[in-house]
Amino acid sequence: MNAAAAVHLTADRRRSTGEYHQALVPLLTGSGEGVSIPAAVEAGQARLEAEVLRRSARWAA
């Protein structure tokens, strides 16, 4: 996979998590699908993410 394709396939996760592209390249499967955004592991993280989404939705409305 060329570098431009790899950058494209990691874009959503990089925007969502702040991870570096180089850290995500090993997660690419070669199937042409992007790297998924991981789900919250702890309840506190899930609550925080839900609150951020809720407040963001108000801005968009």
Side-chain angles (χ1 to χ4, degrees), residues 5-24:
V7 167
H8 174 72
L9 292 173
T10 60
D12 285 341
R13 182 157 165 175
R14 286 184 289 110
R15 276 192 301 274
S16 298
T17 66
E19 293 170 280
Y20 289 105
H21 166 69
Q22 294 84 350
L24 297 174

Side-chain angles (χ1 to χ4, degrees), residues 16-61:
S16 298
T17 66
E19 293 170 280
Y20 289 105
H21 166 69
Q22 294 84 350
L24 297 174
V25 169
L27 301 177
L28 291 171
T29 63
S31 65
E33 295 183 14
V35 178
S36 63
I37 299 168
V41 177
E42 298 178 10
Q45 180 183 354
R47 285 192 300 273
L48 174 64
E49 291 176 5
E51 183 63 19
V52 169
L53 179 62
R54 187 178 68 80
R55 289 182 186 204
S56 299
R58 274 193 279 165
W59 294 331

